[in-house]
Amino acid sequence: MEQPQKPLLEQLRELLRGRHYSLRTEESYLDWARRYIIFHGKRHPRDMGADEILAFLNHLAVELNVSASTQNQARCALLFLYRELLLANPGDLKGIEAARKPHRLPTVLTRAEARAVIAELSGVYQIMAQLLYGSGLRLMECMRLRVKDLDFDQHQLTVRDGKGMHDRVTMLPGSLTGPLREHLEGVRLLHRRDLAEGFGEVYLPFALARKSPGTARAWGWQYVFPAEHRSEDPRGGAVRRHHIHESALQRAVRDAVRASGVTKHASCHTFRHSFATHLIESGYDIRTVQELLGHADVKTTMIYTHVLNRGGLGVRSPLDE
Protein backbone atom coordinates (compact mmCIF):
# COMPACT_ATOMS: atom_id res chain seq x y z
CA MET A 1 0.00 0.00 0.00
CA GLU A 2 1.40 3.38 -0.99
CA GLN A 3 2.38 5.61 1.89
CA PRO A 4 0.50 8.95 2.07
CA GLN A 5 2.70 11.90 1.14
CA LYS A 6 3.89 14.04 4.03
CA PRO A 7 2.75 17.67 4.28
CA LEU A 8 4.87 20.08 2.27
CA LEU A 9 6.36 21.88 5.27
CA GLU A 10 7.30 18.57 6.87
CA GLN A 11 9.08 17.56 3.66
CA LEU A 12 10.90 20.91 3.70
CA ARG A 13 11.95 20.38 7.32
CA GLU A 14 13.38 16.94 6.55
CA LEU A 15 15.27 18.24 3.53
CA LEU A 16 16.83 21.08 5.55
CA ARG A 17 17.91 18.68 8.27
CA GLY A 18 19.29 16.26 5.72
CA ARG A 19 21.41 19.10 4.28
CA HIS A 20 22.65 19.96 7.82
CA TYR A 21 21.18 23.44 7.91
CA SER A 22 21.15 25.03 11.35
CA LEU A 23 18.00 24.94 13.47
CA ARG A 24 17.71 28.72 13.08
CA THR A 25 17.80 28.50 9.28
CA GLU A 26 15.32 25.64 9.38
CA GLU A 27 12.85 27.65 11.46
CA SER A 28 13.34 30.74 9.29
CA TYR A 29 12.85 28.93 5.94
CA LEU A 30 9.77 27.11 7.24
CA ASP A 31 8.29 30.39 8.46
CA TRP A 32 8.82 32.13 5.10
CA ALA A 33 7.33 29.20 3.19
CA ARG A 34 4.31 29.23 5.51
CA ARG A 35 3.85 33.01 5.14
CA TYR A 36 4.17 32.77 1.35
CA ILE A 37 1.48 30.08 1.16
CA ILE A 38 -0.89 31.98 3.47
CA PHE A 39 -0.32 35.24 1.54
CA HIS A 40 -1.61 33.54 -1.61
CA GLY A 41 -4.71 32.02 -0.03
CA LYS A 42 -3.09 28.68 0.88
CA ARG A 43 -2.41 27.72 -2.71
CA HIS A 44 0.20 25.02 -3.22
CA PRO A 45 3.60 26.44 -4.30
CA ARG A 46 3.63 23.97 -7.18
CA ASP A 47 0.69 25.87 -8.66
CA MET A 48 2.52 29.19 -8.38
CA GLY A 49 5.71 30.64 -9.77
CA ALA A 50 7.75 33.77 -10.37
CA ASP A 51 4.77 36.14 -10.43
CA GLU A 52 3.57 34.99 -7.03
CA ILE A 53 7.07 35.11 -5.55
CA LEU A 54 7.57 38.64 -6.86
CA ALA A 55 4.20 39.72 -5.47
CA PHE A 56 5.10 38.37 -2.04
CA LEU A 57 8.60 39.89 -1.97
CA ASN A 58 7.31 43.26 -3.17
CA HIS A 59 4.62 43.10 -0.47
CA LEU A 60 7.37 42.67 2.13
CA ALA A 61 9.36 45.63 0.80
CA VAL A 62 6.59 48.09 -0.06
CA GLU A 63 3.82 47.39 2.43
CA LEU A 64 5.68 45.90 5.38
CA ASN A 65 8.83 47.97 4.80
CA VAL A 66 11.16 45.14 5.82
CA SER A 67 14.92 45.52 5.64
CA ALA A 68 16.86 44.45 2.55
CA SER A 69 18.43 41.55 4.47
CA THR A 70 15.00 40.28 5.58
CA GLN A 71 13.67 40.44 2.04
CA ASN A 72 16.73 38.61 0.76
CA GLN A 73 16.29 35.92 3.41
CA ALA A 74 12.70 35.37 2.24
CA ARG A 75 13.90 35.16 -1.36
CA CYS A 76 16.53 32.54 -0.47
CA ALA A 77 13.95 30.50 1.44
CA LEU A 78 11.52 30.45 -1.48
CA LEU A 79 14.22 29.62 -4.01
CA PHE A 80 15.29 26.70 -1.81
CA LEU A 81 11.68 25.54 -1.62
CA TYR A 82 11.29 25.52 -5.40
CA ARG A 83 14.72 24.44 -6.58
CA GLU A 84 15.66 21.92 -3.88
CA LEU A 85 12.33 20.47 -2.72
CA LEU A 86 9.94 20.87 -5.65
CA LEU A 87 12.80 20.53 -8.17
CA ALA A 88 11.25 23.29 -10.23
CA ASN A 89 12.49 26.52 -11.73
CA PRO A 90 10.16 29.27 -10.49
CA GLY A 91 11.05 31.49 -13.45
CA ASP A 92 12.42 34.99 -13.88
CA LEU A 93 12.63 36.90 -10.59
CA LYS A 94 13.64 40.25 -12.06
CA GLY A 95 11.56 43.22 -11.05
CA ILE A 96 11.69 42.83 -7.31
CA GLU A 97 11.02 46.08 -5.49
CA ALA A 98 14.18 46.05 -3.41
CA ALA A 99 14.01 47.25 0.16
CA ARG A 100 16.36 50.12 0.84
CA LYS A 101 19.56 49.04 2.52
CA PRO A 102 20.93 51.93 4.59
CA HIS A 103 24.69 52.34 4.68
CA ARG A 104 25.35 52.91 8.35
CA LEU A 105 28.60 52.81 10.27
CA PRO A 106 28.64 50.34 13.16
CA THR A 107 28.27 51.63 16.71
CA VAL A 108 31.58 51.44 18.57
CA LEU A 109 32.21 51.88 22.27
CA THR A 110 35.33 53.60 23.54
CA ARG A 111 37.61 51.52 25.73
CA ALA A 112 36.26 53.29 28.81
CA GLU A 113 32.65 52.72 27.73
CA ALA A 114 33.25 49.02 27.05
CA ARG A 115 34.79 48.56 30.50
CA ALA A 116 31.94 50.52 32.11
CA VAL A 117 29.31 48.29 30.52
CA ILE A 118 31.20 45.10 31.43
CA ALA A 119 31.57 46.33 35.01
CA GLU A 120 27.77 46.44 35.31
CA LEU A 121 27.60 42.72 34.51
CA SER A 122 28.37 39.89 36.90
CA GLY A 123 28.96 36.15 36.94
CA VAL A 124 28.72 34.22 33.71
CA TYR A 125 27.30 37.18 31.76
CA GLN A 126 30.36 39.26 32.58
CA ILE A 127 32.69 36.51 31.33
CA MET A 128 30.68 36.18 28.12
CA ALA A 129 30.74 39.93 27.48
CA GLN A 130 34.49 39.95 28.10
CA LEU A 131 34.88 37.24 25.44
CA LEU A 132 32.76 39.21 22.96
CA TYR A 133 34.97 42.24 23.47
CA GLY A 134 38.29 40.55 24.15
CA SER A 135 38.11 37.91 21.39
CA GLY A 136 35.83 39.56 18.83
CA LEU A 137 33.25 36.76 18.90
CA ARG A 138 29.80 36.92 17.40
CA LEU A 139 26.99 36.30 19.85
CA MET A 140 26.24 32.71 18.79
CA GLU A 141 29.93 31.87 18.47
CA CYS A 142 30.26 32.66 22.15
CA MET A 143 27.15 30.66 23.04
CA ARG A 144 28.32 27.57 21.14
CA LEU A 145 31.85 27.42 22.56
CA ARG A 146 32.86 23.93 23.73
CA VAL A 147 35.38 23.18 26.46
CA LYS A 148 37.80 21.66 23.93
CA ASP A 149 37.86 24.94 21.97
CA LEU A 150 39.70 26.78 24.75
CA ASP A 151 43.51 26.65 24.73
CA PHE A 152 44.74 28.29 27.90
CA ASP A 153 48.41 27.49 27.24
CA GLN A 154 48.44 29.19 23.83
CA HIS A 155 46.00 31.93 24.91
CA GLN A 156 43.73 31.21 21.98
CA LEU A 157 40.33 29.77 21.23
CA THR A 158 38.92 28.08 18.15
CA VAL A 159 35.60 29.12 16.67
CA ARG A 160 33.95 26.10 15.05
CA ASP A 161 31.48 26.43 12.18
CA GLY A 162 31.40 30.21 12.30
CA LYS A 163 29.59 32.30 9.71
CA GLY A 164 29.82 30.50 6.38
CA MET A 165 30.68 27.22 8.17
CA HIS A 166 34.32 28.27 8.58
CA ASP A 167 36.60 27.59 11.54
CA ARG A 168 39.05 30.20 12.77
CA VAL A 169 41.40 30.86 15.66
CA THR A 170 41.32 34.03 17.70
CA MET A 171 42.90 35.29 20.89
CA LEU A 172 41.91 34.28 24.42
CA PRO A 173 42.59 37.25 26.71
CA GLY A 174 45.11 36.39 29.43
CA SER A 175 43.03 38.26 31.99
CA LEU A 176 40.22 35.75 31.45
CA THR A 177 42.30 32.66 32.22
CA GLY A 178 41.53 32.71 35.95
CA PRO A 179 37.81 33.53 35.72
CA LEU A 180 37.26 31.00 32.92
CA ARG A 181 39.09 28.20 34.77
CA GLU A 182 37.03 28.88 37.87
CA HIS A 183 33.84 28.96 35.82
CA LEU A 184 34.70 25.63 34.16
CA GLU A 185 35.12 23.97 37.54
CA GLY A 186 31.48 24.75 38.23
CA VAL A 187 30.49 23.50 34.78
CA ARG A 188 32.39 20.24 35.41
CA LEU A 189 30.51 19.66 38.67
CA LEU A 190 27.23 20.28 36.82
CA HIS A 191 28.24 17.79 34.13
CA ARG A 192 29.15 15.15 36.70
CA ARG A 193 25.77 15.57 38.35
CA ASP A 194 24.04 15.16 34.99
CA LEU A 195 25.99 11.95 34.34
CA ALA A 196 25.09 10.60 37.77
CA GLU A 197 21.42 11.24 37.00
CA GLY A 198 21.60 9.38 33.69
CA PHE A 199 21.99 12.40 31.43
CA GLY A 200 25.12 14.39 30.48
CA GLU A 201 24.82 14.19 26.70
CA VAL A 202 25.24 17.28 24.57
CA TYR A 203 24.19 17.96 20.99
CA LEU A 204 26.84 16.94 18.47
CA PRO A 205 27.08 18.27 14.91
CA PHE A 206 26.30 16.14 11.86
CA ALA A 207 26.57 12.36 12.43
CA LEU A 208 29.30 12.48 15.07
CA ALA A 209 27.05 11.00 17.78
CA ARG A 210 26.40 7.96 15.58
CA LYS A 211 29.99 7.58 14.40
CA SER A 212 31.49 7.95 17.85
CA PRO A 213 29.16 6.65 20.60
CA GLY A 214 29.95 8.15 23.99
CA THR A 215 31.42 11.36 22.58
CA ALA A 216 28.26 13.28 23.49
CA ARG A 217 29.05 12.63 27.18
CA ALA A 218 32.74 13.57 26.93
CA TRP A 219 33.87 16.57 28.99
CA GLY A 220 35.61 18.28 26.08
CA TRP A 221 32.41 18.47 24.04
CA GLN A 222 30.35 20.14 26.75
CA TYR A 223 29.28 23.75 26.30
CA VAL A 224 31.37 26.34 28.12
CA PHE A 225 28.16 28.19 29.00
CA PRO A 226 25.51 25.52 29.69
CA ALA A 227 21.88 26.31 30.38
CA GLU A 228 20.60 26.20 33.92
CA HIS A 229 18.07 23.47 33.11
CA ARG A 230 17.99 20.48 30.79
CA SER A 231 15.56 20.65 27.87
CA GLU A 232 14.13 18.54 25.05
CA ASP A 233 15.91 18.82 21.71
CA PRO A 234 13.31 19.78 19.05
CA ARG A 235 15.25 17.84 16.42
CA GLY A 236 14.83 14.44 18.04
CA GLY A 237 13.27 14.73 21.45
CA ALA A 238 16.40 13.79 23.42
CA VAL A 239 16.73 15.50 26.81
CA ARG A 240 20.02 17.37 26.94
CA ARG A 241 21.63 20.41 28.52
CA HIS A 242 21.92 23.00 25.79
CA HIS A 243 23.84 26.28 25.97
CA ILE A 244 22.44 29.42 27.58
CA HIS A 245 19.83 31.05 25.38
CA GLU A 246 21.22 34.11 23.63
CA SER A 247 18.31 36.28 24.72
CA ALA A 248 19.50 36.04 28.34
CA LEU A 249 22.85 37.66 27.51
CA GLN A 250 21.22 40.20 25.19
CA ARG A 251 18.89 41.27 27.99
CA ALA A 252 21.74 41.45 30.52
CA VAL A 253 23.88 43.60 28.17
CA ARG A 254 20.95 45.90 27.41
CA ASP A 255 20.40 46.45 31.14
CA ALA A 256 24.14 46.97 31.69
CA VAL A 257 24.33 49.62 28.95
CA ARG A 258 21.47 51.48 30.57
CA ALA A 259 22.98 51.19 34.08
CA SER A 260 26.43 52.33 32.89
CA GLY A 261 25.07 55.62 31.57
CA VAL A 262 26.35 54.93 28.04
CA THR A 263 23.99 56.71 25.66
CA LYS A 264 24.97 54.83 22.49
CA HIS A 265 22.61 52.23 21.07
CA ALA A 266 24.85 49.31 22.04
CA SER A 267 24.21 45.56 21.95
CA CYS A 268 26.20 42.34 22.22
CA HIS A 269 27.48 42.79 18.65
CA THR A 270 28.79 46.24 19.54
CA PHE A 271 31.55 44.54 21.53
CA ARG A 272 32.76 42.84 18.33
CA HIS A 273 32.76 46.15 16.47
CA SER A 274 34.69 47.71 19.35
CA PHE A 275 37.22 44.84 19.36
CA ALA A 276 38.02 45.40 15.68
CA THR A 277 38.14 49.18 15.90
CA HIS A 278 40.42 49.21 18.93
CA LEU A 279 42.85 46.74 17.31
CA ILE A 280 43.14 48.92 14.20
CA GLU A 281 43.44 51.99 16.43
CA SER A 282 46.37 50.28 18.17
CA GLY A 283 48.14 49.84 14.83
CA TYR A 284 47.45 46.19 14.03
CA ASP A 285 47.47 45.20 10.36
CA ILE A 286 44.04 45.13 8.67
CA ARG A 287 44.68 41.61 7.36
CA THR A 288 45.38 40.37 10.89
CA VAL A 289 42.13 41.88 12.12
CA GLN A 290 40.30 40.34 9.15
CA GLU A 291 41.60 36.89 10.12
CA LEU A 292 40.66 37.30 13.77
CA LEU A 293 37.14 38.40 12.82
CA GLY A 294 36.70 35.67 10.22
CA HIS A 295 35.73 38.05 7.40
CA ALA A 296 35.84 36.48 3.93
CA ASP A 297 36.54 39.84 2.29
CA VAL A 298 38.88 42.51 3.62
CA LYS A 299 36.40 45.15 2.41
CA THR A 300 34.13 44.12 5.28
CA THR A 301 36.97 44.77 7.75
CA MET A 302 37.82 48.10 6.11
CA ILE A 303 34.63 49.68 7.46
CA TYR A 304 36.36 50.01 10.83
CA THR A 305 38.89 52.39 9.32
CA HIS A 306 35.95 54.63 8.43
CA VAL A 307 34.70 54.40 11.99
CA LEU A 308 38.05 55.84 13.06
CA ASN A 309 37.55 58.60 10.45
CA ARG A 310 41.02 57.96 9.10
CA GLY A 311 40.44 55.99 5.93
CA GLY A 312 43.37 54.32 4.26
CA LEU A 313 45.52 57.46 4.29
CA GLY A 314 45.28 58.30 7.98
CA VAL A 315 43.98 61.80 7.20
CA ARG A 316 43.94 64.36 10.03
CA SER A 317 41.78 67.41 10.25
CA PRO A 318 43.62 70.72 9.47
CA LEU A 319 42.25 72.07 12.73
CA ASP A 320 44.38 69.51 14.60
CA GLU A 321 47.60 70.40 12.76
Side-chain angles (χ1 to χ4, degrees):
M1 184 176 178
E2 189 175 342
Q3 291 279 340
Q5 194 173 37
K6 293 181 180 179
L8 179 72
L9 294 182
E10 189 59 35
Q11 294 178 49
L12 181 59
R13 185 191 302 277
E14 290 184 357
L15 180 60
L16 286 163
R17 290 186 182 179
R19 300 283 181 86
H20 302 298
Y21 280 73
S22 71
L23 185 60
R24 289 170 171 275
T25 302
E26 175 187 314
E27 292 173 347
S28 174
Y29 277 27
L30 286 169
D31 182 58
W32 284 120
R34 186 181 299 110
R35 291 174 64 176
Y36 170 65
I37 292 169
I38 292 173
F39 178 78
H40 287 294
K42 298 186 178 179
R43 292 167 59 194
H44 196 286
R46 191 176 285 109
D47 300 327
M48 300 186 283
D51 290 342
E52 287 78 11
I53 294 176
L54 288 171
F56 178 66
L57 295 178
N58 287 335
H59 163 74
L60 294 178
V62 178
E63 297 180 36
L64 299 186
N65 196 29
V66 301
S67 68
S69 58
T70 299
Q71 187 193 42
N72 190 53
Q73 184 187 66
R75 182 179 182 275
C76 290
L78 295 180
L79 286 178
F80 184 91
L81 170 67
Y82 277 91
R83 293 174 178 173
E84 305 301 326
L85 180 62
L86 301 178
L87 302 178
N89 184 355
D92 187 6
L93 292 182
K94 293 179 180 178
I96 296 176
E97 186 69 32
R100 291 184 180 180
K101 188 172 183 180
H103 295 280
R104 295 195 180 101
L105 294 177
T107 300
V108 172
L109 300 173
T110 65
R111 287 173 169 81
E113 288 172 337
R115 293 192 182 97
V117 173
I118 291 173
E120 292 294 336
L121 295 163
S122 60
V124 65
Y125 295 135
Q126 185 177 69
I127 294 175
M128 295 171 86
Q130 287 173 315
L131 276 174
L132 296 178
Y133 177 52
S135 303
L137 301 183
R138 297 180 177 92
L139 175 62
M140 294 310 299
E141 291 173 348
C142 179
M143 294 292 169
R144 293 169 179 159
L145 275 177
R146 313 270 185 157
V147 174
K148 66 181 182 61
D149 297 330
L150 302 179
D151 188 339
F152 291 106
D153 294 332
Q154 296 295 323
H155 295 291
Q156 66 184 29
L157 61 83
T158 303
V159 176
R160 308 285 181 184
D161 294 332
K163 193 171 183 180
M165 298 293 285
H166 296 299
D167 293 355
R168 75 176 190 279
V169 174
T170 187
M171 64 187 73
L172 177 62
S175 58
L176 274 183
T177 298
L180 264 175
R181 286 188 185 277
E182 185 178 345
H183 166 74
L184 288 178
E185 285 303 312
V187 175
R188 186 186 285 272
L189 290 175
L190 183 64
H191 179 53
R192 287 174 178 168
R193 190 179 72 193
D194 282 346
L195 290 173
E197 294 176 359
F199 297 96
E201 288 191 356
V202 71
Y203 168 76
L204 296 181
F206 309 121
L208 186 58
R210 187 176 68 251
K211 294 176 182 176
S212 182
T215 302
R217 293 172 176 261
W219 165 239
W221 278 95
Q222 301 305 305
Y223 288 113
V224 174
F225 303 111
E228 185 177 352
H229 303 288
R230 294 187 291 262
S231 59
E232 185 177 301
D233 192 328
R235 283 163 291 201
V239 177
R240 302 187 178 104
R241 191 177 296 278
H242 204 51
H243 57 67
I244 292 175
H245 197 276
E246 65 274 14
S247 63
L249 179 59
Q250 289 172 324
R251 187 165 50 251
V253 169
R254 185 175 62 245
D255 293 342
V257 171
R258 189 181 301 114
S260 69
V262 172
T263 57
K264 295 175 181 175
H265 184 66
S267 64
C268 292
H269 205 66
T270 305
F271 286 121
R272 177 174 161 88
H273 292 320
S274 304
F275 165 85
T277 304
H278 295 163
L279 286 183
I280 294 174
E281 194 175 43
S282 297
Y284 288 98
D285 179 73
I286 192 77
R287 292 287 184 179
T288 300
V289 179
Q290 176 194 1
E291 189 173 331
L292 292 173
L293 292 172
H295 287 161
D297 192 334
V298 72
K299 291 180 181 177
T300 309
T301 317
M302 286 293 290
I303 192 171
Y304 298 109
T305 63
H306 299 297
V307 172
L308 290 170
N309 200 26
R310 295 179 182 174
L313 300 177
V315 178
R316 295 182 63 191
S317 166
L319 188 64
D320 296 328
E321 294 295 337

